[in-house]
Amino acid sequence: MGFARTCSVALVGVEGVVVEVQADLEPGIAAFTLVGLPDKSLSESRDRVRAAVVNSGGEWPQKKLTVGLSPASVPKCGSGFDLAVACAVLGASERIDPRVLPDIVMIGELGLDGRVRPVRGVLPAVLAAADAGYEQVVVPECAAAEASLVPGVSVLGVRSLRQLIAVLTDEPVPDEEPDEQGRPDPLLAGLRMPGTGAATGMHSMGAAQHDHGHDLADVVGQLSARTAVEIAAAGGHHLFLEGPPGAGKTMLAERLPAILPPLGRQESLEVTAVHSVAGLLPPGKPLIDAPPYCAPHHSATMQSLVGGGQGVARPGAVSLSHRGVLFLDETPEFSSRALDALRQPLEAGHVVIARTAGVVRFPARFLMVLAANPCPCGRFSQTGNSCECSTPMIRRYQARLSGPLLDRVDLRVEVDRVTRSALVEAGTRGDSTSTVADRVRAARERAAARLTGTPWRTNSEVPGRELRSRWYASIGAMDEAERSLERGLLTARGLDRVLRVAWTIADLVGHDRPDATDVARALQLRTGVPRGAPMVIGAMS
């Protein structure tokens, strides 16, 4: 009788559980039994592992073979256990010394020829292994850079099972024949999920990509909207842009990621882990260090927005835009059910998806930008009253955005139609992306210094009770906002959000605490009612 064990990782969302892979050989009729709640793709590993071992020059044991995945109560899915299963079987048959296997975590899929193929979720899997105390990890060669992002872990990247056997047995490591020059590497196919490319709007395009050829100075006019975009970036506030077609709503949203500060180390690991699980890591770039940008089509389902789907729950658009921007263009065209599902992640910063097999939690702290026309034809607010929509049509169109959802949006701006004079006259262009990004970075540094020692980093994250008790505005500055609350123009949540925006404006202009003018600007952006306050950043300083 032979026995050997090694380790792999089962992913539940973006969280990993270390699984012990055990192989037991007993005399009897040759059979291969896999136990431990495997799914269909994992059950098929019996045939993949057998073929890979034989084609790698190994001898398949002709005995009764049982492979167990422990803990047996945790569902296992995917093909990333192949490498661990193969090494456990080879250890039980004494082709590999069983004593060298227990302290190694192995992640990778095996091809029938013995090549090691990459799988999604390598980064969160290695993070889970490091948290469990493991220091040695074996991954596919093309995923070694991603696994090396985790500190304190020794990563071995292998291209084939033959190479791994040679390393574990102290034999000369064979050289694998390279693929034909100029042809794509077939092993990289496992790093990306079909149907999630750039054309779907669900990709991880960040500030670096959008900064190329997309400058904020290209937006003509729209001073109030530009100011709102800058405030949204400085404080992490959600933004609603309403205006006729062609006014520049999409241009503003596309340029927002470029003025956001670069991601910190911990934020980069969070974003990279989500995109690794989704199979959306850019080729050759294992670490995402720029805020992601996600713009799903208005026909997107609730599952594609918040995550889920049949079988294993997948991260949705709100998680793919974690620490970045989620842009919903033509927002009223989204289904009401999908839009209302955004309420919980907007408040909590994460999504919890409950299924019969278990509960999955995905991070979802994003900056949401909504864009909508004033009516179905889009000409309701234009001069000349050329709108052809009836009053009931306009009312039904605008009612598609529920009050509870809009109550969670801090900034609401009406984008006006661009005039001919604004297009042809000089001096109508605002600051460039780099200039605005510098102001945003300085404002975030002021907020971070004020929030030192707390779990929050931006003004939008601070709870209302903390704002009212620790970081209050100047004396009398909130009087007008409180009167709006008494008249029913603001909710209690809305009053807290006005104070948050006022703090962001104060950080942008360098005030120690919000004054009456800062609160008036925040109240105007919240309600859309003019308060006589200038809405240009240059005029604020």
Side-chain angles (χ1 to χ4, degrees):
M1 183 179 71
F3 177 83
R5 59 189 177 92
T6 186
C7 294
S8 189
V9 178
L11 288 178
V12 182
V14 293
E15 300 175 356
V17 178
V18 176
V19 174
E20 189 176 72
V21 181
Q22 305 169 347
D24 178 72
L25 284 175
E26 296 180 357
I29 299 175
F32 188 173
T33 304
L34 182 64
V35 296
L37 287 184
D39 70 341
K40 180 65 174 177
S41 60
L42 181 51
S43 298
E44 292 175 348
S45 68
R46 294 175 296 186
D47 300 320
R48 291 194 301 270
V49 169
R50 182 188 293 109
V53 169
V54 173
N55 290 327
S56 298
E59 183 178 350
W60 187 257
Q62 299 300 316
K63 296 182 180 180
K64 181 182 179 181
L65 171 62
T66 303
V67 173
L69 308 176
S70 179
S73 59
V74 177
K76 290 83 175 180
C77 60
S79 56
F81 294 87
D82 289 1
L83 199 59
V85 171
C87 288
V89 172
L90 292 174
S93 63
E94 299 183 351
R95 174 65 176 89
I96 300 175
D97 188 352
R99 293 172 297 180
V100 304
L101 297 176
D103 296 330
I104 304 177
V105 175
M106 302 183 183
I107 305 165
E109 175 187 332
L110 285 175
L112 300 184
D113 56 354
R115 290 186 299 173
V116 182
R117 304 180 63 90
V119 293
R120 295 186 292 271
V122 169
L123 177 59
V126 177
L127 285 170
D131 292 340
Y134 290 87
E135 299 179 352
Q136 293 181 306
V137 177
V138 178
V139 297
E141 184 182 55
C142 50
E146 179 184 347
S148 299
L149 297 173
V150 182
V153 177
S154 176
V155 178
L156 172 62
V158 294
R159 193 171 182 86
S160 68
L161 181 60
R162 283 183 293 269
Q163 290 183 340
L164 180 57
I165 294 174
V167 170
L168 296 177
T169 56
D170 293 329
E171 299 175 358
V173 179
D175 294 329
E176 296 294 334
E177 297 181 2
D179 295 314
E180 295 183 19
Q181 191 70 21
R183 296 187 62 183
D185 189 348
L187 296 182
L188 295 177
L191 290 177
R192 299 189 63 85
M193 180 185 295
T196 53
T200 64
M202 307 294 284
H203 55 290
S204 58
M205 184 174 290
Q209 292 87 341
H210 273 268
D211 190 45
H212 179 69
H214 291 77
D215 198 296
L216 198 58
D218 298 335
V219 181
V220 178
Q222 310 300 356
L223 298 181
S224 296
R226 288 171 54 93
T227 300
V229 167
E230 184 171 343
I231 295 173
H237 305 287
H238 305 305
L239 174 63
F240 177 36
L241 301 173
E242 183 179 21
K249 302 186 294 295
T250 302
M251 291 181 65
L252 287 167
E254 289 179 343
R255 285 151 179 78
L256 178 56
I259 65 176
L260 291 173
L263 299 178
R265 177 69 179 182
Q266 183 60 34
E267 294 172 338
S268 296
L269 290 177
E270 293 175 3
V271 174
T272 304
V274 174
H275 287 76
S276 177
V277 170
L280 293 174
L281 280 181
K285 187 176 177 61
L287 183 67
I288 299 177
D289 55 3
Y293 174 85
C294 190
H297 191 259
H298 61 257
S299 62
T301 62
M302 184 183 71
Q303 288 77 15
S304 66
L305 282 181
V306 301
Q310 295 183 355
V312 181
R314 298 288 183 185
V318 297
S319 297
L320 296 177
S321 56
H322 178 60
R323 302 295 182 184
V325 177
L326 173 66
F327 177 47
L328 302 181
D329 198 8
E330 305 294 345
T331 309
E333 300 298 335
F334 284 80
S335 70
S336 299
R337 185 164 171 259
L339 291 177
D340 289 337
L342 299 176
R343 299 184 197 174
Q344 187 265 342
L346 285 174
E347 289 291 328
H350 61 265
V351 174
V352 177
I353 302 172
R355 292 291 185 268
T356 55
V359 179
V360 177
R361 183 181 184 273
F362 291 113
R365 189 167 296 281
F366 55 92
L367 196 164
M368 182 179 67
V369 179
L370 307 178
N373 297 325
C375 66
C377 75
R379 298 191 295 269
F380 176 66
S381 61
Q382 288 192 20
T383 305
N385 195 23
S386 58
C387 176
E388 300 176 354
C389 304
S390 63
T391 301
M393 291 174 59
I394 297 175
R395 187 180 297 113
R396 285 194 300 268
Y397 184 80
Q398 296 178 348
R400 295 179 182 176
L401 300 181
S402 65
L405 177 63
L406 291 179
D407 195 41
R408 289 166 168 81
V409 179
D410 299 342
L411 310 173
R412 307 176 190 176
V413 180
E414 184 174 346
V415 182
D416 299 324
R417 180 175 61 91
V418 180
T419 62
R420 175 179 176 275
S421 60
L423 283 173
V424 300
E425 289 180 2
T428 58
R429 299 182 183 273
D431 294 332
S432 64
T433 293
S434 59
T435 301
V436 176
D438 291 339
R439 290 200 296 259
V440 169
R441 183 169 55 254
R444 289 231 179 180
E445 290 174 355
R446 294 189 186 99
R450 183 174 62 254
L451 299 174
T452 301
T454 69
W456 315 295
R457 299 191 59 185
T458 59
N459 294 320
S460 62
E461 301 174 10
V462 183
R465 65 180 183 277
E466 297 290 339
L467 284 173
R468 293 189 297 269
S469 60
R470 298 176 59 181
W471 297 292
Y472 43 84
S474 301
I475 298 176
M478 294 294 292
D479 290 347
E480 184 64 26
E482 293 170 355
R483 285 193 291 269
S484 298
L485 175 64
E486 294 176 353
R487 293 194 297 265
L489 299 178
L490 281 180
T491 62
R493 180 194 288 122
L495 183 65
D496 290 339
R497 291 180 178 272
V498 167
L499 184 54
R500 289 177 184 146
V501 175
W503 266 110
T504 300
I505 296 174
D507 290 333
L508 280 170
V509 300
H511 293 167
D512 293 335
R513 62 180 63 252
D515 57 19
T517 304
D518 297 332
V519 175
R521 295 180 182 118
L523 195 57
Q524 178 172 330
L525 288 170
R526 174 74 183 181
T527 63
V529 179
R531 307 282 172 170
M535 295 307 299
V536 183
I537 290 294
M540 294 182 186
S541 54

